[in-house]
Amino acid sequence: MVAEVEVPAGFVPQYAVAFGAVDGPAVAVQADNPLPVHAVRRPAQSAPLAGTIVSSAIVGPFVPELDRPIWLSLSGQWQGQVDFLRSADGGATMLPLTIAGERWGRFVGGTNEAVADESEAGATYYLAVTLLGGALTYRVAQ
């Protein structure tokens, strides 16, 4: 049952959230009557980590914005592997991504995919690049 507040009442004391037309009744917000809005998300404020590398190195850190997917793009003519690493202590310890205890986030060719979604403030990401030849162009961004 939906209780309505009739005009001319200008407020709805018994409901925390309600809405209605200027000349119509206020109706409670509920599953069958949601607010007529949609979330607007601003562009991510995190600075992308991007460049081209021709020798093995650790690249980073990438400091993500919370609750957004992190995208990794690898391209170019290169041979070797790239491990996507996460740190929760400012880079002192960098750990590989895993799923059910198995290593994940190791790439041996071009890619363009979401690799993580961070929820812990202060976490940072790195690329451990082991190049056997060529030049790798990388980009970590949100």
Side-chain angles (χ1 to χ4, degrees), residues 10 13 45 51 64 86 89 95 100 102 106 114 126 142:
Q45 300 299 303
R86 181 182 183 272
D89 59 10
L95 300 171
E102 295 296 321
R106 175 172 282 171
Y126 300 81
Q142 292 182 295

Side-chain angles (χ1 to χ4, degrees), residues 1-3 8 14 18 21 24 32 44 60 65 73 86 88 94 100-101 107 113 120 130 138 141-142:
M1 177 178 154
V2 176
Q14 74 267 39
D32 293 335
E65 192 170 312
S73 298
R86 181 182 183 272
M94 294 179 230
F107 302 90
E113 62 186 85
E120 181 178 357
T130 305
Y138 61 88
Q142 292 182 295

